[in-house]
């Protein structure tokens, strides 16, 4: 079913989302059982201003904030081709929440407890000391064992009670450019931050990744948490937010954790989306669609990073390269709407990228 997007073309669409409820550091036995709040939930945007970290990552030994790709991708120009129209070119990564912690291995590497509280998904080992190598050696709650990537976002609270998504998460990997055949897999170790805790309400609303903001029931495009959220068991607060998908081909990270990535732009004189010239490499566009099990009175709902408009998220790629290559090639380049196996139920003749165990055949 097509959905609306502020900047990106109507080819970007969403499917369903199931999410998981856990307690602090472990899976909760009952979604209705409040999990203990962290010892000190940082207020407002404390501990996550996107300033250059005071400690260097082991992958950035000179501490300048740049982690160069090895090898870099060179000789690429943004594709202006128009392949045969396909309404879908995406697949899902279904990953459960693993734990929460006041850590951020991108913004505050090697500094446990310095960040506001985050809700982590995917890789079970993610903490302040995580590196590409440690994630690669870790386990995952994603359905595809090959997806050992780390995904995280600020923890939501209702008062002092953490509100954690219920069921396997769905994180979409899409084509952000019109030439979906030009999309290539993420390089191992690529990391970035989408949005920021210090952004104003207007900056949140105007962000190129803004899709429908905070939504609940029939209320969409909210910068603030909706005030008219029906108090029914099946109703949850949702947010959809898209990541940049054009890479400079040079850096796995930059000091602001954003400058090596860019959003697609409109090719002048057309309705087509292309990568900008300084970020010519088309990668999958990640879209978070998170559903939080809270409704009714949202007056006490907040994020660990502050107000509703401080929402942001982080991605650290640790996919098995062959598995990601198969999923991108079959689903995105192939113009399919795939589940976490790389199977499109409307095109069964295309088969699946992965077997019934979500692994390469």
């Amino acid at each position: 079913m097509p959905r609306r997007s502020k900047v990106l073309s109507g080819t970007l669409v969403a499917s369903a989302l199931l999410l998981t409820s856990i307690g602090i550091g472990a899976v909760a036995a009952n979604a209705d059982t409040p999990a203990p709040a962290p010892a000190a939930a940082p207020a407002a945007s404390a501990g996550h201003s996107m300033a250059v970290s005071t400690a260097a990552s082991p992958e950035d030994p000179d501490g300048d904030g740049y982690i160069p790709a090895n090898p870099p991708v060179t000789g690429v120009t943004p594709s202006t081709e128009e392949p045969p129209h396909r309404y879908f070119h995406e697949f899902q990564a279904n990953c459960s929440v693993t734990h929460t912690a006041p850590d951020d291995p991108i913004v505050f590497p090697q500094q446990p407890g310095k960040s506001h509280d985050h809700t982590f998904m995917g890789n079970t080992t993610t903490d302040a000391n995580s590196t590409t190598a440690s994630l690669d050696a870790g386990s995952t709650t994603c359905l595809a064992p090959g997806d050992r990537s780390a995904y995280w976002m600020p923890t939501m609270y209702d008062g002092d009670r953490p509100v954690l998504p219920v069921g396997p998460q769905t994180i979409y990997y899409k084509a952000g450019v019109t030439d979906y055949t030009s999309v290539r897999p993420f390089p191992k170790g690529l990391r970035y931050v989408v949005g920021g805790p210090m952004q104003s309400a207007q900056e949140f609303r105007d962000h190129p990744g803004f899709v429908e903001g905070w939504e609940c029931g029939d209320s969409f495009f909210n910068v603030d948490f909706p005030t008219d959220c029906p108090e029914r068991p099946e109703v949850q607060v949702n947010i959809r937010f898209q990541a940049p998908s054009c890479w400079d081909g040079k850096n796995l990270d930059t000091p602001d954790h954003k400058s090596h990535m860019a959003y697609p732009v409109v090719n002048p004189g057309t309705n087509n989306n292309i990568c900008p010239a300084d970020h010519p490499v088309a990668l999958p566009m990640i879209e978070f669609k998170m559903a939080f099990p809270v409704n009714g009175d949202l007056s006490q709902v907040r994020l660990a990073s502050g107000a509703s408009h401080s929402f942001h998220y982080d991605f650290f790629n640790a996919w098995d390269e062959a598995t990601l290559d198969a999923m991108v090639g079959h689903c995105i380049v192939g113009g399919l709407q795939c589940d976490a196996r790389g199977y499109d139920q409307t095109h069964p003749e295309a088969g699946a990228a992965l077997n019934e165990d979500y692994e390469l055949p």
Side-chain angles (χ1 to χ4, degrees):
M1 179 176 66
R3 304 289 288 184
R4 294 155 291 190
S5 178
K6 177 176 178 289
V7 170
L8 304 172
S9 69
T11 59
L12 301 177
V13 296
S15 301
L17 181 67
L18 298 175
L19 301 167
T20 193
S21 176
I22 69 166
I24 299 301
V27 177
N30 188 325
D32 294 326
T33 302
S45 301
H48 200 325
S49 65
M50 300 301 170
V52 175
S53 175
T54 56
S57 164
E59 297 174 275
D60 176 27
D62 61 6
D64 67 353
Y66 291 92
I67 301 177
N70 185 20
V73 175
T74 60
V76 175
T77 57
S79 175
T80 58
E81 297 297 315
E82 294 188 51
H85 176 70
R86 296 301 293 265
Y87 199 73
F88 297 99
H89 12 68
E90 66 179 39
F91 66 89
Q92 299 176 12
N94 296 139
C95 308
S96 299
V97 174
T98 58
H99 61 288
T100 69
D103 289 352
D104 191 320
I106 295 178
V107 179
F108 294 111
Q110 309 295 302
Q111 299 168 86
K114 188 165 185 180
S115 176
H116 55 248
D117 205 67
H118 283 112
T119 295
F120 293 89
M121 297 163 282
N123 199 295
T124 62
T125 69
T126 313
D127 62 19
N129 299 309
S130 290
T131 63
T132 303
S134 72
L135 293 175
D136 212 29
S139 59
T140 182
T141 61
C142 300
L143 290 182
D147 185 6
R148 295 183 290 274
S149 301
Y151 310 87
W152 64 96
M153 59 190 173
T155 299
M156 177 183 284
Y157 294 94
D158 185 6
D160 292 327
R161 180 181 67 88
V163 179
L164 303 171
V166 178
Q169 307 279 354
T170 298
I171 299 166
Y172 298 101
Y173 281 62
K174 304 181 175 187
V177 292
T178 299
D179 184 7
Y180 55 87
T181 68
S182 70
V183 176
R184 64 180 70 196
F186 291 117
K188 182 70 74 71
L190 181 76
R191 67 209 74 181
Y192 54 73
V193 179
V194 185
M198 300 297 289
Q199 65 200 354
S200 68
Q202 191 62 48
E203 288 170 334
F204 175 65
R205 180 63 183 86
D206 293 340
H207 196 283
F210 186 99
V211 181
E212 290 181 350
W214 295 102
E215 53 186 39
C216 184
D218 295 326
S219 179
F220 302 94
F221 299 105
N222 297 291
V223 170
D224 298 318
F225 297 123
T227 57
D228 51 349
C229 188
E231 190 169 356
R232 298 197 302 268
E234 72 278 10
V235 173
Q236 301 187 77
V237 172
N238 298 268
I239 190 168
R240 296 175 59 212
F241 217 79
Q242 294 172 336
S245 60
C246 297
W247 179 42
D248 67 8
K250 302 174 184 177
N251 299 293
L252 301 178
D253 197 12
T254 42
D256 65 356
H257 316 298
K258 297 181 179 183
S259 296
H260 54 308
M261 300 296 297
Y263 285 88
V265 296
V266 176
N267 189 22
T270 75
N271 290 319
N272 296 339
N273 292 324
I274 64 172
C275 283
D278 55 355
H279 291 75
V281 184
L283 301 178
M285 171 172 280
I286 285 180
E287 179 182 311
F288 269 29
K289 184 182 178 185
M290 304 288 109
F292 300 88
V294 64
N295 54 42
D297 180 9
L298 304 184
S299 62
Q300 299 302 308
V301 173
R302 61 184 174 89
L303 299 176
S305 52
S308 57
H309 55 76
S310 70
F311 180 80
H312 57 286
Y313 61 87
D314 302 52
F315 169 66
F316 195 143
N317 176 43
W319 274 87
D320 168 70
E321 291 168 289
T323 304
L324 181 60
D325 184 67
M327 293 291 283
V328 170
H330 186 70
C331 301
I332 296 180
V333 175
L336 299 174
Q337 183 187 27
C338 293
D339 60 15
R341 279 189 60 214
Y343 176 75
D344 183 344
Q345 63 179 356
T346 64
H347 291 280
E349 74 284 357
L354 307 179
N355 62 25
E356 292 182 358
D357 295 321
Y358 299 90
E359 297 181 317
L360 289 170

